[in-house]
Amino acid sequence: ISISLATTMMMLATTLILASLALGKSDPLYRIFPQRTSEEAAVIEWGHSAIISALDGAVANFGPQTSQGANFEVETAPVLANPIDGVGRWKKSNDDETLSDFDQEYPGKLKNAAAVEGNMVIMTDAAGLSGVTMARIAKESGAAALMVVNTDQNAGDFIYSLEAESEEEAKYAEENIDIPIVMVSLQAGNVITTAMATDASDPNEINRGAGLPDRVRLYAGGDRPFFEDAVSKTPVVYLIHNMLTSEECDALIGMAEGKYDRVDDTTGINNYLDNTMASTEANGEPSAVNVDRVTLWKGGIAGKVIKDVDERISQVTGFPPEHFSDFQMNKHVKGSAHLPHFDVNEANGVMATITLFLNDVEDGDGGELFYPNPLDGGTPVMVRPRKGLAVVHHNTDENYVFDKSTINEELVVTGSSTVKYVAKKYVYLNPQPNAMRVVLPLIALPFGGKLPGIFSTLYIALIDKFGVETGVTYFQKVIVMLPVFLLLVIASAVSDAVQKKLKEGKDGKKKETNEKTTKKTKKSKKSD
């Protein structure tokens, strides 16, 4: 495939960016993810076996709990701190110059230390206290655990691991802080503080903790999926760690092996079925450069691996599985890239895109998922490929209007022996009919899930002839009738075979009768 000079220069610029990052030259013009790890993930859970609610938390990066790899578990009652930020309206001042800054900042125990003792205390970071100071307040008030609520109104669901801000703080935490310290987002804080609230609840009582659950369980996240917020709005972009297991990633790669075709999006034709849209690059240049692709049509007849993955994605994201596309599998090698594009499909509106990385790519070898134009006031976002990690972005706003800030690209793969495997699942605005979820997968079944190209050609032809809405309707009717037609053809073939067999049987018997009659006639003449 011929690549224009402009495209080549873009890929070269991308390579230089990645090279500088690999050398440790952190570029403030980019937000690089993932920033969290499974080791720092925590879960706050309440409820019973029928209804369980859970929140994600980030474990603090100080004290003995860090060396334990977030290996903890606490079950206790949650209590709001009084004052809620640990300080209150009148901040305690300590002008004793013989004390360190850390000791001067410490305001003392909480007013409700008696209620806090042995329980998980909930505090906010609104007073600007350091993480270790808040942990000190909780510990000396007798708390069994501390939940810190990130009150930054512009942070969305963003949370991070609190850290010691000085050597003195690190030393104090190592020697004294032996309780779990986790941070949750402002939204999560609102959820837990109103968990038991009803429409009739008094807001003043809620502010005093009346809406909290009776008991909570705080434990290490381990391999459980957890969220990491990247862009809170315009566009909405978030990461889900541990979405797939290593075995599931390998299984998906194996299902697609030997079925890939090189993407050619320079024809000006939109392949609506496979979500491969025509390139919008100048001079007819490709958007998907050296990318191999296949859609695995499994739908409602999928095996255990895909069924488990679809169910987990639905549970974690809240998207109904009836709105899911089948997996679009993509293979990138050195020089592969998908230049800036929108995830749109005129024939099947795409509400959200879920990108799943199926293998690790070394830092500096490229292949990052890149959002160049977030409108949240922050810098562009770059997500590095990590096995089992999912990246979700919403292509529409809350009113289902297309969001132009969702433009995204997959940066060029630069590693000489690097291969990047990506599975994409598109979330459609409307539930998918049985023609798409059952009939097409049945047709693709003999081919390992790869749909013969004639069906994409038919789909495109009908849309070109009758328009999107009518063309899609006609295609679905044809697909639904196809199994009936095939059954009629099979029934006709079987009927013809049976009739032929019966005819051959009758002809055989007639021939045998004629031969016997001839023999009898000859024998009779001989006797005469």
Side-chain angles (χ1 to χ4, degrees):
I1 298 175
S2 174
I3 303 176
S4 68
L5 178 61
T7 300
T8 302
M9 293 300 293
M10 181 182 295
M11 294 172 67
L12 178 60
T14 299
T15 304
L16 292 174
I17 291 172
L18 297 175
S20 67
L21 291 173
L23 292 172
K25 299 176 181 178
S26 180
D27 194 332
L29 297 178
Y30 299 94
R31 286 175 281 179
I32 301 174
F33 294 89
Q35 298 177 3
R36 297 180 59 194
T37 64
S38 295
E39 287 73 20
E40 68 181 36
V43 180
I44 302 95
E45 183 180 86
W46 65 91
H48 48 77
S49 57
I51 303 176
I52 294 178
S53 300
L55 304 174
D56 288 322
V59 179
N61 191 24
F62 55 77
Q65 60 182 342
T66 303
S67 62
Q68 294 170 9
N71 183 22
F72 57 83
E73 184 170 350
V74 175
E75 182 169 354
T76 185
V79 177
L80 292 183
N82 182 16
I84 190 66
D85 61 1
V87 175
R89 184 179 302 176
W90 297 280
K91 183 174 181 179
K92 177 181 177 180
S93 59
N94 194 328
D95 298 327
D96 188 346
E97 296 182 358
T98 62
L99 298 177
S100 64
D101 291 341
F102 173 58
D103 283 333
Q104 287 185 34
E105 184 184 48
Y106 177 61
K109 293 182 181 181
L110 295 168
K111 293 180 180 179
N112 61 335
V116 166
E117 187 168 0
N119 295 313
M120 182 184 77
V121 64
I122 301 174
M123 295 175 60
T124 72
D125 62 358
L129 299 177
S130 71
V132 175
T133 296
M134 288 188 285
R136 181 179 181 181
I137 295 170
K139 173 66 177 178
E140 296 195 6
S141 297
L146 168 64
M147 176 194 293
V148 177
V149 179
N150 181 5
T151 57
D152 185 349
Q153 296 283 348
N154 298 318
D157 288 325
F158 179 71
I159 55 176
Y160 57 93
S161 294
L162 293 164
E163 296 185 350
E165 298 179 5
S166 67
E167 291 185 6
E168 182 183 10
E169 285 197 350
K171 184 173 185 292
Y172 177 89
E174 186 66 30
E175 295 175 351
N176 298 280
I177 305 302
D178 56 359
I179 60 174
I181 314 295
V182 299
M183 172 180 278
V184 299
S185 67
L186 179 59
Q187 180 179 347
N190 289 333
V191 168
I192 192 170
T193 53
T194 58
M196 301 294 108
T198 66
D199 292 340
S201 298
D202 183 347
N204 293 323
E205 292 299 317
I206 298 299
N207 291 336
R208 287 192 283 268
L212 289 167
D214 294 332
R215 305 282 290 180
V216 297
R217 295 175 292 280
L218 171 62
Y219 56 89
D223 295 331
R224 176 186 177 277
F226 65 93
F227 291 84
E228 181 176 357
D229 196 42
V231 186
S232 58
K233 59 181 179 180
T234 323
V236 173
V237 182
Y238 55 92
L239 285 60
I240 306 175
H241 295 251
N242 303 325
M243 179 58 87
L244 300 184
T245 66
S246 178
E247 293 75 17
E248 288 167 343
C249 291
D250 295 341
L252 285 172
I253 292 173
M255 290 179 197
E257 197 60 42
K259 302 181 181 71
Y260 292 105
D261 291 316
R262 179 58 53 90
V263 174
D264 182 7
D265 57 10
T266 63
T267 62
I269 298 173
N270 292 320
N271 187 337
Y272 300 106
L273 277 182
D274 289 337
N275 283 290
T276 299
M277 301 300 113
S279 172
T280 57
E281 294 296 308
N283 303 318
E285 297 298 331
S287 173
V289 181
N290 297 333
V291 176
D292 295 329
R293 177 174 296 169
V294 64
T295 297
L296 296 176
W297 289 90
K298 300 292 184 176
I301 63 170
K304 185 179 187 305
V305 171
I306 290 181
K307 280 185 177 179
D308 287 349
V309 170
D310 279 356
E311 183 178 341
R312 188 180 312 122
I313 292 175
S314 179
Q315 289 176 344
V316 174
T317 64
F319 295 127
E322 296 80 16
H323 290 247
F324 290 166
S325 74
D326 280 293
F327 277 116
Q328 182 198 79
M329 306 294 295
N330 296 272
K331 181 180 180 180
H332 296 237
V333 295
K334 183 180 180 181
S336 296
H338 197 173
L339 303 182
H341 63 280
F342 296 105
D343 295 337
V344 294
N345 188 331
E346 187 182 2
N348 211 350
V350 180
M351 177 171 57
T353 303
I354 303 173
T355 301
L356 298 118
F357 296 116
L358 304 182
N359 67 314
D360 291 322
V361 175
E362 292 290 332
D363 293 349
D365 283 352
E368 285 84 351
L369 182 57
F370 188 59
Y371 297 90
N373 193 36
L375 301 181
D376 64 341
T379 53
V381 168
M382 185 183 294
V383 184
R384 288 172 168 159
R386 295 291 183 264
K387 190 173 186 178
L389 177 70
V391 183
V392 182
H393 72 257
H394 292 191
N395 297 296
T396 62
D397 61 20
E398 61 273 12
N399 297 315
Y400 304 109
V401 176
F402 174 63
D403 183 355
K404 291 184 178 180
S405 69
T406 58
I407 188 168
N408 64 94
E409 63 179 297
E410 292 184 70
L411 301 182
V412 62
V413 174
T414 58
S416 58
S417 59
T418 300
V419 179
K420 182 184 78 168
Y421 292 99
V422 175
K424 287 184 179 288
K425 189 167 281 285
Y426 298 95
V427 184
Y428 297 124
L429 287 169
N430 300 307
Q432 300 304 286
N434 286 335
M436 299 295 192
R437 291 187 54 79
V438 178
V439 181
L440 287 183
L442 281 172
I443 295 171
L445 185 61
F447 310 100
K450 182 177 181 179
L451 193 67
I454 184 65
F455 292 95
S456 292
T457 302
L458 174 62
Y459 197 57
I460 295 167
L462 289 173
I463 288 176
D464 288 345
K465 177 70 174 177
F466 301 104
V468 173
E469 186 174 349
T470 304
V472 169
T473 300
Y474 283 168
F475 178 79
Q476 292 174 3
K477 288 181 177 180
V478 170
I479 293 304
V480 170
M481 291 302 297
L482 186 60
V484 177
F485 175 74
L486 291 175
L487 286 175
L488 290 174
V489 171
I490 293 171
S492 177
V494 170
S495 177
D496 289 345
V498 170
Q499 289 181 9
K500 184 179 179 182
K501 192 72 175 177
L502 290 172
K503 184 177 180 182
E504 289 176 351
K506 289 180 179 180
D507 290 344
K509 287 183 179 181
K510 185 176 181 181
K511 183 178 180 182
E512 184 181 349
T513 301
N514 289 338
E515 288 176 351
K516 287 181 178 180
T517 303
T518 302
K519 286 181 180 180
K520 286 181 180 181
T521 303
K522 288 181 178 180
K523 187 174 180 180
S524 176
K525 287 182 178 180
K526 190 174 181 181
S527 298
D528 292 343

mmCIF file of all heavy atoms in Angstrom, residues 273 297 433-443 451-452 454-456 458-459 462 471-486:
data_model
loop_
_atom_site.group_PDB
_atom_site.id
_atom_site.type_symbol
_atom_site.label_atom_id
_atom_site.label_comp_id
_atom_site.label_asym_id
_atom_site.label_seq_id
_atom_site.Cartn_x
_atom_site.Cartn_y
_atom_site.Cartn_z
ATOM 1 N N LEU A 273 -20.980 -4.075 8.012
ATOM 2 C CA LEU A 273 -21.079 -5.282 8.840
ATOM 3 C C LEU A 273 -19.868 -5.449 9.739
ATOM 4 O O LEU A 273 -19.986 -5.846 10.895
ATOM 5 C CB LEU A 273 -21.250 -6.526 7.959
ATOM 6 C CG LEU A 273 -22.655 -6.853 7.470
ATOM 7 C CD1 LEU A 273 -22.639 -8.139 6.659
ATOM 8 C CD2 LEU A 273 -23.633 -6.980 8.633
ATOM 9 N N TRP A 297 -17.908 -13.797 14.037
ATOM 10 C CA TRP A 297 -19.363 -13.817 14.188
ATOM 11 C C TRP A 297 -19.757 -15.006 15.046
ATOM 12 O O TRP A 297 -19.849 -16.139 14.570
ATOM 13 C CB TRP A 297 -20.028 -13.885 12.811
ATOM 14 C CG TRP A 297 -19.903 -12.610 12.050
ATOM 15 C CD1 TRP A 297 -18.904 -12.252 11.203
ATOM 16 C CD2 TRP A 297 -20.806 -11.504 12.102
ATOM 17 N NE1 TRP A 297 -19.113 -10.981 10.715
ATOM 18 C CE2 TRP A 297 -20.280 -10.499 11.240
ATOM 19 C CE3 TRP A 297 -22.000 -11.260 12.774
ATOM 20 C CZ2 TRP A 297 -20.915 -9.277 11.056
ATOM 21 C CZ3 TRP A 297 -22.631 -10.038 12.571
ATOM 22 C CH2 TRP A 297 -22.092 -9.063 11.730
ATOM 23 N N PRO A 433 -30.985 -7.441 16.109
ATOM 24 C CA PRO A 433 -32.015 -8.452 15.831
ATOM 25 C C PRO A 433 -31.408 -9.840 15.686
ATOM 26 O O PRO A 433 -30.180 -10.003 15.570
ATOM 27 C CB PRO A 433 -32.613 -7.971 14.503
ATOM 28 C CG PRO A 433 -31.493 -7.225 13.837
ATOM 29 C CD PRO A 433 -30.735 -6.560 14.958
ATOM 30 N N ASN A 434 -32.260 -10.845 15.682
ATOM 31 C CA ASN A 434 -31.804 -12.233 15.570
ATOM 32 C C ASN A 434 -31.055 -12.491 14.270
ATOM 33 O O ASN A 434 -30.212 -13.386 14.206
ATOM 34 C CB ASN A 434 -32.993 -13.190 15.687
ATOM 35 C CG ASN A 434 -33.497 -13.303 17.109
ATOM 36 O OD1 ASN A 434 -32.752 -13.080 18.063
ATOM 37 N ND2 ASN A 434 -34.770 -13.623 17.269
ATOM 38 N N ALA A 435 -31.374 -11.713 13.234
ATOM 39 C CA ALA A 435 -30.654 -11.872 11.971
ATOM 40 C C ALA A 435 -29.159 -11.673 12.172
ATOM 41 O O ALA A 435 -28.334 -12.349 11.541
ATOM 42 C CB ALA A 435 -31.186 -10.879 10.937
ATOM 43 N N MET A 436 -28.802 -10.737 13.048
ATOM 44 C CA MET A 436 -27.394 -10.442 13.311
ATOM 45 C C MET A 436 -26.811 -11.334 14.410
ATOM 46 O O MET A 436 -25.652 -11.739 14.343
ATOM 47 C CB MET A 436 -27.240 -8.966 13.720
ATOM 48 C CG MET A 436 -27.691 -7.984 12.664
ATOM 49 S SD MET A 436 -26.663 -8.069 11.192
ATOM 50 C CE MET A 436 -27.192 -6.608 10.314
ATOM 51 N N ARG A 437 -27.608 -11.640 15.423
ATOM 52 C CA ARG A 437 -27.091 -12.342 16.592
ATOM 53 C C ARG A 437 -27.161 -13.866 16.474
ATOM 54 O O ARG A 437 -26.477 -14.568 17.217
ATOM 55 C CB ARG A 437 -27.851 -11.904 17.851
ATOM 56 C CG ARG A 437 -27.562 -10.473 18.273
ATOM 57 C CD ARG A 437 -28.200 -10.146 19.608
ATOM 58 N NE ARG A 437 -27.846 -11.087 20.650
ATOM 59 C CZ ARG A 437 -26.700 -11.092 21.313
ATOM 60 N NH1 ARG A 437 -25.767 -10.205 21.004
ATOM 61 N NH2 ARG A 437 -26.470 -11.976 22.252
ATOM 62 N N VAL A 438 -27.986 -14.364 15.566
ATOM 63 C CA VAL A 438 -28.141 -15.815 15.467
ATOM 64 C C VAL A 438 -27.875 -16.328 14.054
ATOM 65 O O VAL A 438 -27.052 -17.208 13.840
ATOM 66 C CB VAL A 438 -29.552 -16.250 15.924
ATOM 67 C CG1 VAL A 438 -29.716 -17.769 15.764
ATOM 68 C CG2 VAL A 438 -29.802 -15.844 17.374
ATOM 69 N N VAL A 439 -28.571 -15.737 13.067
ATOM 70 C CA VAL A 439 -28.497 -16.272 11.703
ATOM 71 C C VAL A 439 -27.098 -16.104 11.109
ATOM 72 O O VAL A 439 -26.517 -17.067 10.588
ATOM 73 C CB VAL A 439 -29.561 -15.611 10.805
ATOM 74 C CG1 VAL A 439 -29.469 -16.197 9.394
ATOM 75 C CG2 VAL A 439 -30.955 -15.832 11.379
ATOM 76 N N LEU A 440 -26.538 -14.894 11.164
ATOM 77 C CA LEU A 440 -25.205 -14.687 10.604
ATOM 78 C C LEU A 440 -24.151 -15.553 11.300
ATOM 79 O O LEU A 440 -23.298 -16.151 10.626
ATOM 80 C CB LEU A 440 -24.821 -13.210 10.668
ATOM 81 C CG LEU A 440 -25.548 -12.283 9.679
ATOM 82 C CD1 LEU A 440 -25.019 -10.861 9.785
ATOM 83 C CD2 LEU A 440 -25.407 -12.781 8.246
ATOM 84 N N PRO A 441 -24.159 -15.673 12.651
ATOM 85 C CA PRO A 441 -23.217 -16.587 13.288
ATOM 86 C C PRO A 441 -23.393 -18.046 12.841
ATOM 87 O O PRO A 441 -22.405 -18.782 12.718
ATOM 88 C CB PRO A 441 -23.517 -16.427 14.780
ATOM 89 C CG PRO A 441 -24.016 -15.025 14.900
ATOM 90 C CD PRO A 441 -24.823 -14.810 13.650
ATOM 91 N N LEU A 442 -24.630 -18.467 12.586
ATOM 92 C CA LEU A 442 -24.857 -19.832 12.095
ATOM 93 C C LEU A 442 -24.246 -20.013 10.706
ATOM 94 O O LEU A 442 -23.648 -21.058 10.409
ATOM 95 C CB LEU A 442 -26.359 -20.132 12.052
ATOM 96 C CG LEU A 442 -27.023 -20.484 13.393
ATOM 97 C CD1 LEU A 442 -28.537 -20.562 13.226
ATOM 98 C CD2 LEU A 442 -26.481 -21.793 13.952
ATOM 99 N N ILE A 443 -24.385 -18.980 9.871
ATOM 100 C CA ILE A 443 -23.788 -19.048 8.534
ATOM 101 C C ILE A 443 -22.264 -19.082 8.625
ATOM 102 O O ILE A 443 -21.588 -19.777 7.847
ATOM 103 C CB ILE A 443 -24.258 -17.847 7.692
ATOM 104 C CG1 ILE A 443 -25.769 -17.923 7.455
ATOM 105 C CG2 ILE A 443 -23.512 -17.784 6.366
ATOM 106 C CD1 ILE A 443 -26.363 -16.680 6.826
ATOM 107 N N LEU A 451 -17.362 -14.636 8.388
ATOM 108 C CA LEU A 451 -18.507 -14.576 7.493
ATOM 109 C C LEU A 451 -18.024 -14.443 6.048
ATOM 110 O O LEU A 451 -17.167 -13.600 5.757
ATOM 111 C CB LEU A 451 -19.382 -13.380 7.859
ATOM 112 C CG LEU A 451 -20.776 -13.307 7.240
ATOM 113 C CD1 LEU A 451 -21.661 -14.430 7.789
ATOM 114 C CD2 LEU A 451 -21.412 -11.950 7.550
ATOM 115 N N PRO A 452 -18.532 -15.263 5.123
ATOM 116 C CA PRO A 452 -18.159 -15.101 3.706
ATOM 117 C C PRO A 452 -18.428 -13.691 3.218
ATOM 118 O O PRO A 452 -19.429 -13.058 3.569
ATOM 119 C CB PRO A 452 -19.062 -16.124 2.996
ATOM 120 C CG PRO A 452 -19.335 -17.171 4.032
ATOM 121 C CD PRO A 452 -19.421 -16.417 5.331
ATOM 122 N N ILE A 454 -19.525 -12.427 0.596
ATOM 123 C CA ILE A 454 -20.715 -12.160 -0.199
ATOM 124 C C ILE A 454 -21.793 -11.443 0.616
ATOM 125 O O ILE A 454 -22.562 -10.651 0.086
ATOM 126 C CB ILE A 454 -21.283 -13.487 -0.786
ATOM 127 C CG1 ILE A 454 -22.472 -13.216 -1.697
ATOM 128 C CG2 ILE A 454 -21.657 -14.453 0.313
ATOM 129 C CD1 ILE A 454 -22.129 -12.425 -2.941
ATOM 130 N N PHE A 455 -21.812 -11.691 1.925
ATOM 131 C CA PHE A 455 -22.849 -11.077 2.765
ATOM 132 C C PHE A 455 -22.575 -9.592 2.992
ATOM 133 O O PHE A 455 -23.512 -8.780 3.018
ATOM 134 C CB PHE A 455 -22.966 -11.832 4.087
ATOM 135 C CG PHE A 455 -23.511 -13.212 3.922
ATOM 136 C CD1 PHE A 455 -22.666 -14.302 3.801
ATOM 137 C CD2 PHE A 455 -24.877 -13.427 3.839
ATOM 138 C CE1 PHE A 455 -23.166 -15.584 3.617
ATOM 139 C CE2 PHE A 455 -25.397 -14.706 3.659
ATOM 140 C CZ PHE A 455 -24.538 -15.780 3.538
ATOM 141 N N SER A 456 -21.307 -9.232 3.150
ATOM 142 C CA SER A 456 -20.969 -7.805 3.251
ATOM 143 C C SER A 456 -21.286 -7.096 1.939
ATOM 144 O O SER A 456 -21.804 -5.969 1.929
ATOM 145 C CB SER A 456 -19.483 -7.635 3.592
ATOM 146 O OG SER A 456 -19.212 -8.084 4.897
ATOM 147 N N LEU A 458 -23.585 -7.957 -0.254
ATOM 148 C CA LEU A 458 -25.040 -7.840 -0.343
ATOM 149 C C LEU A 458 -25.551 -6.703 0.536
ATOM 150 O O LEU A 458 -26.414 -5.910 0.125
ATOM 151 C CB LEU A 458 -25.696 -9.160 0.066
ATOM 152 C CG LEU A 458 -27.232 -9.165 0.154
ATOM 153 C CD1 LEU A 458 -27.837 -8.865 -1.216
ATOM 154 C CD2 LEU A 458 -27.742 -10.498 0.703
ATOM 155 N N TYR A 459 -25.026 -6.602 1.758
ATOM 156 C CA TYR A 459 -25.432 -5.563 2.706
ATOM 157 C C TYR A 459 -25.175 -4.173 2.116
ATOM 158 O O TYR A 459 -26.045 -3.286 2.136
ATOM 159 C CB TYR A 459 -24.649 -5.750 4.003
ATOM 160 C CG TYR A 459 -25.201 -5.042 5.213
ATOM 161 C CD1 TYR A 459 -26.493 -5.263 5.661
ATOM 162 C CD2 TYR A 459 -24.402 -4.170 5.954
ATOM 163 C CE1 TYR A 459 -26.989 -4.639 6.793
ATOM 164 C CE2 TYR A 459 -24.880 -3.536 7.091
ATOM 165 C CZ TYR A 459 -26.175 -3.775 7.502
ATOM 166 O OH TYR A 459 -26.656 -3.160 8.626
ATOM 167 N N LEU A 462 -27.536 -3.415 -0.962
ATOM 168 C CA LEU A 462 -28.909 -3.077 -0.579
ATOM 169 C C LEU A 462 -28.998 -1.662 -0.011
ATOM 170 O O LEU A 462 -29.958 -0.924 -0.280
ATOM 171 C CB LEU A 462 -29.437 -4.094 0.431
ATOM 172 C CG LEU A 462 -29.726 -5.499 -0.119
ATOM 173 C CD1 LEU A 462 -30.068 -6.461 1.012
ATOM 174 C CD2 LEU A 462 -30.850 -5.451 -1.142
ATOM 175 N N GLY A 471 -32.579 -0.498 3.223
ATOM 176 C CA GLY A 471 -31.587 -1.505 2.858
ATOM 177 C C GLY A 471 -31.291 -2.470 3.986
ATOM 178 O O GLY A 471 -31.193 -3.683 3.786
ATOM 179 N N VAL A 472 -31.150 -1.932 5.206
ATOM 180 C CA VAL A 472 -30.901 -2.784 6.379
ATOM 181 C C VAL A 472 -32.091 -3.711 6.619
ATOM 182 O O VAL A 472 -31.920 -4.896 6.914
ATOM 183 C CB VAL A 472 -30.623 -1.918 7.626
ATOM 184 C CG1 VAL A 472 -30.622 -2.776 8.887
ATOM 185 C CG2 VAL A 472 -29.290 -1.192 7.482
ATOM 186 N N THR A 473 -33.307 -3.174 6.480
ATOM 187 C CA THR A 473 -34.517 -3.987 6.680
ATOM 188 C C THR A 473 -34.581 -5.129 5.671
ATOM 189 O O THR A 473 -34.855 -6.283 6.035
ATOM 190 C CB THR A 473 -35.778 -3.116 6.544
ATOM 191 O OG1 THR A 473 -35.737 -2.083 7.527
ATOM 192 C CG2 THR A 473 -37.036 -3.949 6.752
ATOM 193 N N TYR A 474 -34.313 -4.823 4.393
ATOM 194 C CA TYR A 474 -34.325 -5.864 3.357
ATOM 195 C C TYR A 474 -33.266 -6.929 3.636
ATOM 196 O O TYR A 474 -33.507 -8.130 3.461
ATOM 197 C CB TYR A 474 -34.086 -5.244 1.986
ATOM 198 C CG TYR A 474 -35.290 -4.536 1.404
ATOM 199 C CD1 TYR A 474 -35.170 -3.724 0.282
ATOM 200 C CD2 TYR A 474 -36.558 -4.676 1.969
ATOM 201 C CE1 TYR A 474 -36.278 -3.069 -0.257
ATOM 202 C CE2 TYR A 474 -37.666 -4.023 1.444
ATOM 203 C CZ TYR A 474 -37.513 -3.222 0.334
ATOM 204 O OH TYR A 474 -38.607 -2.584 -0.191
ATOM 205 N N PHE A 475 -32.079 -6.488 4.056
ATOM 206 C CA PHE A 475 -31.005 -7.441 4.340
ATOM 207 C C PHE A 475 -31.413 -8.401 5.451
ATOM 208 O O PHE A 475 -31.208 -9.608 5.356
ATOM 209 C CB PHE A 475 -29.727 -6.695 4.737
ATOM 210 C CG PHE A 475 -28.582 -7.606 5.091
ATOM 211 C CD1 PHE A 475 -27.823 -8.207 4.100
ATOM 212 C CD2 PHE A 475 -28.260 -7.867 6.419
ATOM 213 C CE1 PHE A 475 -26.765 -9.052 4.430
ATOM 214 C CE2 PHE A 475 -27.213 -8.705 6.752
ATOM 215 C CZ PHE A 475 -26.461 -9.298 5.757
ATOM 216 N N GLN A 476 -31.995 -7.855 6.508
ATOM 217 C CA GLN A 476 -32.408 -8.697 7.631
ATOM 218 C C GLN A 476 -33.476 -9.696 7.211
ATOM 219 O O GLN A 476 -33.471 -10.854 7.632
ATOM 220 C CB GLN A 476 -32.900 -7.818 8.781
ATOM 221 C CG GLN A 476 -31.801 -7.009 9.433
ATOM 222 C CD GLN A 476 -32.308 -6.025 10.476
ATOM 223 O OE1 GLN A 476 -33.512 -5.984 10.757
ATOM 224 N NE2 GLN A 476 -31.417 -5.236 11.047
ATOM 225 N N LYS A 477 -34.391 -9.256 6.324
ATOM 226 C CA LYS A 477 -35.418 -10.172 5.843
ATOM 227 C C LYS A 477 -34.812 -11.283 4.999
ATOM 228 O O LYS A 477 -35.199 -12.455 5.115
ATOM 229 C CB LYS A 477 -36.461 -9.404 5.022
ATOM 230 C CG LYS A 477 -37.370 -8.513 5.865
ATOM 231 C CD LYS A 477 -38.408 -7.801 5.009
ATOM 232 C CE LYS A 477 -39.348 -6.962 5.878
ATOM 233 N NZ LYS A 477 -40.368 -6.244 5.068
ATOM 234 N N VAL A 478 -33.862 -10.916 4.148
ATOM 235 C CA VAL A 478 -33.187 -11.920 3.321
ATOM 236 C C VAL A 478 -32.456 -12.928 4.188
ATOM 237 O O VAL A 478 -32.528 -14.146 3.961
ATOM 238 C CB VAL A 478 -32.202 -11.246 2.338
ATOM 239 C CG1 VAL A 478 -31.320 -12.288 1.651
ATOM 240 C CG2 VAL A 478 -32.961 -10.434 1.303
ATOM 241 N N ILE A 479 -31.758 -12.422 5.216
ATOM 242 C CA ILE A 479 -30.979 -13.295 6.083
ATOM 243 C C ILE A 479 -31.890 -14.232 6.868
ATOM 244 O O ILE A 479 -31.590 -15.421 7.036
ATOM 245 C CB ILE A 479 -30.115 -12.454 7.048
ATOM 246 C CG1 ILE A 479 -29.059 -11.698 6.254
ATOM 247 C CG2 ILE A 479 -29.451 -13.336 8.080
ATOM 248 C CD1 ILE A 479 -28.168 -12.557 5.402
ATOM 249 N N VAL A 480 -33.018 -13.704 7.349
ATOM 250 C CA VAL A 480 -33.951 -14.538 8.106
ATOM 251 C C VAL A 480 -34.561 -15.619 7.208
ATOM 252 O O VAL A 480 -34.782 -16.761 7.631
ATOM 253 C CB VAL A 480 -35.061 -13.675 8.738
ATOM 254 C CG1 VAL A 480 -36.168 -14.545 9.306
ATOM 255 C CG2 VAL A 480 -34.479 -12.799 9.845
ATOM 256 N N MET A 481 -34.846 -15.259 5.948
ATOM 257 C CA MET A 481 -35.449 -16.215 5.017
ATOM 258 C C MET A 481 -34.437 -17.220 4.482
ATOM 259 O O MET A 481 -34.821 -18.289 4.005
ATOM 260 C CB MET A 481 -36.093 -15.464 3.847
ATOM 261 C CG MET A 481 -37.321 -14.653 4.219
ATOM 262 S SD MET A 481 -38.625 -15.683 4.960
ATOM 263 C CE MET A 481 -39.005 -16.771 3.590
ATOM 264 N N LEU A 482 -33.160 -16.859 4.558
ATOM 265 C CA LEU A 482 -32.131 -17.743 3.993
ATOM 266 C C LEU A 482 -32.148 -19.140 4.587
ATOM 267 O O LEU A 482 -32.090 -20.128 3.844
ATOM 268 C CB LEU A 482 -30.753 -17.088 4.158
ATOM 269 C CG LEU A 482 -29.588 -17.822 3.476
ATOM 270 C CD1 LEU A 482 -29.817 -17.910 1.979
ATOM 271 C CD2 LEU A 482 -28.278 -17.082 3.761
ATOM 272 N N PRO A 483 -32.227 -19.300 5.930
ATOM 273 C CA PRO A 483 -32.285 -20.657 6.481
ATOM 274 C C PRO A 483 -33.497 -21.435 5.980
ATOM 275 O O PRO A 483 -33.402 -22.643 5.730
ATOM 276 C CB PRO A 483 -32.369 -20.416 7.995
ATOM 277 C CG PRO A 483 -31.779 -19.073 8.206
ATOM 278 C CD PRO A 483 -32.156 -18.288 7.003
ATOM 279 N N VAL A 484 -34.637 -20.725 5.827
ATOM 280 C CA VAL A 484 -35.835 -21.387 5.309
ATOM 281 C C VAL A 484 -35.591 -21.853 3.881
ATOM 282 O O VAL A 484 -35.931 -22.982 3.503
ATOM 283 C CB VAL A 484 -37.049 -20.435 5.357
ATOM 284 C CG1 VAL A 484 -38.279 -21.106 4.759
ATOM 285 C CG2 VAL A 484 -37.317 -19.990 6.786
ATOM 286 N N PHE A 485 -34.964 -20.975 3.079
ATOM 287 C CA PHE A 485 -34.646 -21.328 1.700
ATOM 288 C C PHE A 485 -33.699 -22.522 1.645
ATOM 289 O O PHE A 485 -33.883 -23.455 0.844
ATOM 290 C CB PHE A 485 -34.021 -20.120 0.994
ATOM 291 C CG PHE A 485 -33.536 -20.401 -0.401
ATOM 292 C CD1 PHE A 485 -34.434 -20.559 -1.446
ATOM 293 C CD2 PHE A 485 -32.172 -20.504 -0.670
ATOM 294 C CE1 PHE A 485 -33.992 -20.821 -2.726
ATOM 295 C CE2 PHE A 485 -31.723 -20.771 -1.942
ATOM 296 C CZ PHE A 485 -32.630 -20.931 -2.981
ATOM 297 N N LEU A 486 -32.675 -22.505 2.512
ATOM 298 C CA LEU A 486 -31.728 -23.617 2.541
ATOM 299 C C LEU A 486 -32.415 -24.919 2.941
ATOM 300 O O LEU A 486 -32.120 -25.989 2.383
ATOM 301 C CB LEU A 486 -30.586 -23.298 3.509
ATOM 302 C CG LEU A 486 -29.623 -22.189 3.072
ATOM 303 C CD1 LEU A 486 -28.616 -21.892 4.174
ATOM 304 C CD2 LEU A 486 -28.883 -22.583 1.799
#
